[in-house]
Amino acid sequence: MTTEQETPQSTQPKRPGRTDGVMTEFTVFTKIKPEEADALREDLAAMSSQGDARQAMEQIGTLHSARHVMFDNGTRHMFASVFDGSWDSYIDDFAKTAVGERFERVFRHTEGFPGIKDPNVKDWFAAQQQTAGVFATAYPDLTVQQVWKDQRVNQAFQEVLDTPEFRAALDNPANAALLATPAFQKLLNEAQG
Amino acid sequence: MSEAASTSGPGVSVEIDDIQSGALHARPSPYVGRFFLLRIDDRHAGRAMLGRMLPATEGGLPTVNPDQGAWVTVALTFQGLRALGVPQESLDSFPPEFQQGMAARAEHLGDTGESDPAQWEKPFGTPDVHMGIVALAPDAERLQKALEHERAALQETPGVEIIWQQEVHQLPGGRTSFGFRDGISHPGIEGVGSGTNPHEAPLKAGEFILGYPDETGNLPPMPQPEVLGRNGTYLAVRKLHTKVAAWRQYLRSNSSSPEEEGLLGAKMVGRWPSGAPLTLSPDHDDEALGADPHRNNAFGYKENDDRGLKCPAGAHIRRINPRDATIVGATRLHRIIRRGTSYGPPLPEGVLEDDGADRGLIGVFIGAHLDRQFEFIKSEWVEDGNFIGFSGEKDPVAGHHDGTGTMTVPAKPVRRRLQNLPSFVVTRGGEYCFLPSLSALRWLSELKG
């Protein structure tokens, strides 16, 4: 079937990778250099601190999830990730952040990696990339930025619901017109539990 | 190229005299100019034409007062390089987006709907566009003089034909057709000259000129052989029609007083009509600030306006140059030189009905990386808003909206959200051009076979 090949390319003018809504999956398979499996394992262990990873992801702002997996007895490595938009638009930007250092630290153990700051690094990644057969996400319309915003808004909303002053305001007849609007009814619907 | 003619910056010596003046020279003000597109029917004729144009094509320092001189710039499309008989190996060394051309990149760039290349003014987007010539001067007399050479060269060169031309000129008051002062912001470049924003460190020369290290620490990918690529750069040239009546109608119908109308326009642009930036003058226009080149671009966002309460993050000038604001990504990798020139008559002040006239600007965007400069800015910063946390929102002025566009205008206690934005700008055509160095023009003119 040619359509399987063409669909992602027609929606993604630049690189392969399947999309769902605003997101693109980006999965790379590489060969680990001989004798470097232990070194990679140690680097991954050192990088597995959630705090550092989270900080790196905050810096990127478009990465939903990422995992590094070693397999085939330590001879191969998979990097699987989900980005907003296309991953390669921002690859030069990543190289300038803590994410660049993390990429460098992992992929230096894999064969042929030119270095995260090399101008040909996009082509190298694309050559190692395999496009997913199926890619689906539970929230296809939401970018990382929106998920963070939504989380902040909900936390603030819940705090408002906890204040007695808010309960009193709902009972105040002066606010009846506001309460009657469909938009506010939607908000109250979410406030019920 | 003599050693003495090089200018020095930290760690870099730029061969400024080999770079066409049109690459780095700021636009004069006032200005008149003319854009030409040409077709090369015979490669020998094309080479001869380049050879005849060489004496009229200047290189040199852009720090010379731009209001003094006039200059002619010669650029080539990928099809033009082919028409000149540039060897295949060399053609293959150009970046893919340049080889494809702007029309082929339309979907990525958001040139869809009424901006779709199928609707473009001919010959834009066709394989006939081979060469672009731009002449800019402070007045008509100097423009004519600058063009004499081109006219003579064309007369002597059958086999090269002008297939399109456009006259451009400064509108009264130095404003765009929308009524805002433009041409204010220029980046500083190491080894070349300082920019208009003292808060922005000069960018590496390789962001704008091939053959020098760029902001990533690498040399930009450069077409081969070296004599062809070095000291060259790329232009994205666009003819942008502006819907001035629709713009005025939108402002009128979304405000309740002339003052509100003025503020709404400023919130969408990021500057007041005088050029005064909202960040420095958030509540009213300030003619003196707008006219002062030492102050009208001397600002950042982070310290005093990161939330965008003064200048919205979605405002046109903040999108296309976010400066030090908090965004997704690194601003310095996506800077560009912008040179806008107006065409067509202004819509008389106060008129809200479209008079059917074609007006707008010819925008020239200059940088060494089409993909991470012009294309990135257009696709990520103009046609989307995720980088500022407003996914799906577009540039309220330059974005291609379908009548359902929104823009968040931060305010206390509650933000305002503009709704139902139509397109105020339509792409009428565009081309990617390579702007060769003087040495490269000579090399091209002397090609054999």
Side-chain angles (χ1 to χ4, degrees):
Chain A
M1 281 273 291
T2 52
T3 49
E4 291 234 335
Q5 291 297 313
E6 284 167 4
T7 305
Q9 282 197 342
S10 61
T11 52
Q12 299 273 155
K14 285 183 152 184
R15 305 284 179 189
R18 197 163 281 275
T19 61
D20 185 20
V22 297
M23 281 168 252
T24 308
E25 58 83 23
F26 174 57
T27 313
V28 171
F29 294 91
T30 58
K31 282 190 182 140
I32 297 168
K33 286 179 185 166
E35 315 295 327
E36 298 207 16
D38 286 342
L40 175 56
R41 210 170 273 122
E42 280 168 29
D43 275 324
L44 291 181
M47 287 164 56
S48 65
S49 139
Q50 297 270 319
D52 290 355
R54 203 88 74 214
Q55 206 177 12
M57 292 177 87
E58 269 166 32
Q59 245 185 13
I60 303 183
T62 58
L63 175 58
H64 288 259
S65 72
R67 81 199 64 168
H68 293 279
V69 181
M70 292 172 69
F71 63 106
D72 276 358
N73 292 323
T75 60
R76 301 181 71 199
H77 162 264
M78 177 189 78
F79 173 70
S81 60
V82 180
F83 283 94
D84 292 321
S86 62
W87 63 272
D88 65 315
S89 299
Y90 280 99
I91 192 94
D92 297 305
D93 302 57
F94 295 163
K96 283 197 146 313
T97 66
V99 186
E101 288 159 34
R102 291 172 73 87
F103 268 47
E104 186 74 43
R105 197 165 170 187
V106 172
F107 286 102
R108 67 188 167 148
H109 300 300
T110 70
E111 287 184 357
F113 181 60
I116 192 69
K117 293 188 176 174
D118 189 280
N120 298 314
V121 74
K122 278 189 202 185
D123 293 330
W124 184 83
F125 275 121
Q128 320 303 314
Q129 187 180 1
Q130 294 292 331
T131 298
V134 176
F135 170 57
T137 149
Y139 47 93
D141 299 331
L142 297 179
T143 64
V144 170
Q145 296 294 320
Q146 287 171 300
V147 171
W148 287 343
K149 173 83 174 176
D150 291 356
Q151 192 178 21
R152 290 194 301 270
V153 170
N154 185 48
Q155 274 169 3
F157 178 54
Q158 297 300 333
E159 283 174 33
V160 168
L161 296 186
D162 287 335
T163 57
E165 290 84 352
F166 181 71
R167 292 301 307 277
L170 290 182
D171 297 334
N172 186 340
N175 293 325
L178 173 65
L179 264 62
T181 60
F184 204 84
Q185 285 297 315
K186 270 192 209 169
L187 200 64
L188 286 180
N189 194 37
E190 294 299 331
Q192 285 166 7
Chain B
M1 181 62 231
S2 67
E3 280 293 320
S6 295
T7 54
S8 296
V12 66
S13 177
V14 177
E15 293 160 1
I16 197 77
D17 286 352
D18 193 38
I19 300 167
Q20 286 196 56
S21 289
L24 303 172
H25 216 302
R27 189 197 71 192
S29 183
Y31 63 90
V32 289
R34 200 169 271 273
F35 286 78
F36 300 88
L37 296 177
L38 301 94
R39 189 184 63 229
I40 300 166
D41 292 322
D42 172 89
R43 64 181 185 276
H44 300 286
R47 295 166 188 172
M49 171 77 187
L50 288 183
R52 291 183 179 120
M53 287 296 295
L54 255 175
T57 312
E58 283 177 47
L61 269 176
T63 49
V64 174
N65 183 351
D67 297 345
Q68 295 300 314
W71 64 95
V72 174
T73 309
V74 181
L76 293 155
T77 65
F78 183 69
Q79 296 302 333
L81 293 165
R82 274 174 81 162
L84 284 170
V86 169
Q88 190 62 41
E89 199 184 339
S90 180
L91 292 173
D92 291 343
S93 66
F94 280 87
E97 60 279 1
F98 174 72
Q99 294 189 31
Q100 290 166 26
M102 192 185 285
R105 308 288 291 171
E107 201 179 325
H108 181 55
L109 294 172
D111 282 335
T112 54
E114 54 188 344
S115 291
D116 190 302
Q119 316 282 335
W120 284 3
E121 187 176 318
K122 297 289 173 253
F124 279 113
T126 71
D128 280 354
V129 181
H130 294 161
M131 192 189 296
I133 295 178
V134 188
L136 272 180
D139 53 54
E141 194 184 330
R142 273 176 280 191
L143 181 69
Q144 287 311 318
K145 202 162 153 33
L147 283 171
E148 270 168 25
H149 214 92
E150 187 211 8
R151 213 165 283 131
L154 268 168
Q155 265 170 12
E156 291 164 28
T157 322
V160 178
E161 218 180 302
I162 293 176
I163 54 175
W164 179 87
Q165 52 181 308
Q166 177 78 60
E167 187 251 332
V168 293
H169 53 266
Q170 188 164 64
L171 298 181
R175 311 281 168 98
T176 66
S177 55
F178 288 131
F180 291 77
R181 183 195 296 272
D182 72 341
I184 293 173
S185 181
H186 301 283
I189 305 169
E190 279 187 12
V192 175
S194 51
T196 50
N197 181 6
H199 304 293
E200 182 184 58
L203 291 137
K204 297 285 180 202
E207 291 297 309
F208 302 102
I209 302 294
L210 300 173
Y212 305 92
D214 63 24
E215 288 286 323
T216 70
N218 294 307
L219 292 171
M222 192 166 85
Q224 296 300 316
E226 176 150 338
V227 64
L228 175 61
R230 188 173 174 81
N231 294 325
T233 188
Y234 295 97
L235 313 181
V237 181
R238 286 164 79 74
K239 179 173 181 179
L240 302 167
H241 168 72
T242 51
K243 296 182 172 182
V244 179
W247 165 260
R248 289 180 186 169
Q249 284 167 24
Y250 188 86
L251 297 185
R252 179 67 52 87
S253 57
N254 286 278
S255 51
S256 55
S257 69
E259 291 71 33
E260 254 187 44
E261 204 175 309
L263 180 62
L264 179 59
K267 288 283 187 185
M268 291 165 77
V269 171
R271 291 185 188 272
W272 296 92
S274 75
L278 274 181
T279 300
L280 299 183
S281 183
D283 302 318
H284 52 79
D285 201 352
D286 180 339
E287 292 280 345
L289 171 61
D292 185 347
H294 298 291
R295 293 193 294 144
N296 63 14
N297 203 40
F299 65 97
Y301 297 111
K302 194 168 190 120
E303 201 179 334
N304 294 313
D305 197 22
D306 211 31
R307 290 297 298 269
L309 290 163
K310 294 173 187 161
C311 177
H316 173 64
I317 69 151
R318 185 159 167 169
R319 280 173 167 267
I320 60 171
N321 178 14
R323 302 172 190 240
D324 59 349
T326 303
I327 59 160
V328 170
T331 296
R332 290 178 68 82
L333 297 179
H334 314 289
R335 298 285 283 118
I336 205 164
I337 296 171
R338 296 184 171 76
R339 199 167 299 138
T341 49
S342 296
Y343 73 86
L347 186 65
E349 219 166 306
V351 173
L352 267 73
E353 292 307 316
D354 187 20
D355 61 356
D358 189 16
R359 60 173 61 82
L361 66 143
I362 306 290
V364 177
F365 307 91
I366 302 164
H369 307 262
L370 282 171
D371 57 348
R372 74 165 160 81
Q373 293 174 320
F374 173 74
E375 291 202 338
F376 181 98
I377 292 169
K378 184 66 168 59
S379 60
E380 299 287 334
W381 288 357
V382 172
E383 297 295 327
D384 193 14
N386 193 54
F387 77 110
I388 46 173
F390 299 115
S391 181
E393 287 193 358
K394 299 178 180 185
D395 187 318
V397 183
H400 294 312
H401 302 276
D402 60 2
T404 63
T406 64
M407 177 196 180
T408 303
V409 181
K412 283 179 180 173
V414 174
R415 96 285 183 266
R416 177 175 185 190
R417 191 154 62 147
L418 303 180
Q419 313 261 17
N420 302 323
L421 279 161
S423 287
F424 301 115
V425 171
V426 180
T427 310
R428 284 276 161 88
E431 295 291 338
Y432 287 154
C433 297
F434 177 62
L435 187 70
S437 70
L438 297 184
S439 313
L441 282 176
R442 194 168 301 114
W443 182 83
L444 287 163
S445 73
E446 291 168 358
L447 280 172
K448 299 279 179 266

